[in-house]
Amino acid sequence: MNAPVPVTDPDDPRLADYTGLTDVALRRRREPADGLFMAEGDKVIRRALDAGYPMRSMLLTPRWAEAMADVAAATGAPVYLVDEALAERVTGYHVHRGALAAMQRTPLPPPAGLLATAGRLVVLEAVNDHTNIGAVFRGAAALGMDGVLLTPDCADPLYRRSVKVSMGAVFSLPYARLPHGPGHLDAVREAGFRLLALTPDPRARDIREVAAEEAGARTALLLGAEGNGLSARALAAADVRVRIPMAHGVDSLNVAAAAAVAFFALAEPRPGP
């Protein structure tokens, strides 16, 4: 039995992984450098473990100790028991889900594996908002995309907010980072993918028409950051520019909402119930 260890001192060094979770700039630097990320809540912690990420430790409030006892026993990682006030003092916010786990990162594979096996990919360019990253991953997983490629300036999918918003989809959907440099899309095209650039430009083609034409082809959907959209270089590299038809004078959608609509349009027909 891996019994929880009560901790009452917010400066206890055993809680170092959990300090200052709301300091985005600090955590962006520290987590990748220390090889860790945070999983929050019962379902997300279990999904991280199922995906093969080792647990470093777990931080629980008393009412969650019993619910997470099987996880503690299976991993053998230390479990620290703190009251809600101390949890908030350490992390910087109210841990309403009552369970946090410090997880160990694993090496990120190169893009070659995804490019060799995937049929439909998402390519994110400079999407630096963690909420949008998490939402795009969740939509991509739910709607049958095979993986995600990120440019080097995209936000970290394993940052706590991304993980939480994705509901753990960042663990189930494979992803990789594209290399630096202006030719980062060359490898995607050379692997046999058609590059579809999603844009609100009214001159772009209706994504439904293009999806019908591209049925069965290997496709990579290019998505840009909120506001700026795709770079001129990415638009120029695309085989075709696609748009989602709009009504009532709306000219665009949030990138995560637009992504979900586009994923559905590109999804292969599924058999009925």
Side-chain angles (χ1 to χ4, degrees), residues 122 124 127 129-143 145 165-166 198 221 223-227 244 246 252-264:
V122 187
L124 300 182
V127 178
D129 181 89
H130 292 104
T131 297
N132 284 335
I133 287 283
V136 169
F137 266 81
R138 188 174 183 181
L143 295 167
M145 303 300 284
V165 171
S166 80
L198 188 64
L221 181 69
L223 299 169
E226 200 76 37
I244 298 168
M246 301 284 170
S252 63
L253 297 172
N254 165 276
V255 64
V261 174
F263 299 156
F264 184 78

Side-chain angles (χ1 to χ4, degrees), residues 34-47:
D34 289 353
L36 80 142
F37 68 91
M38 305 306 300
E40 181 178 0
D42 183 351
K43 290 182 180 178
V44 171
I45 291 171
R46 293 177 187 275
R47 287 171 182 169

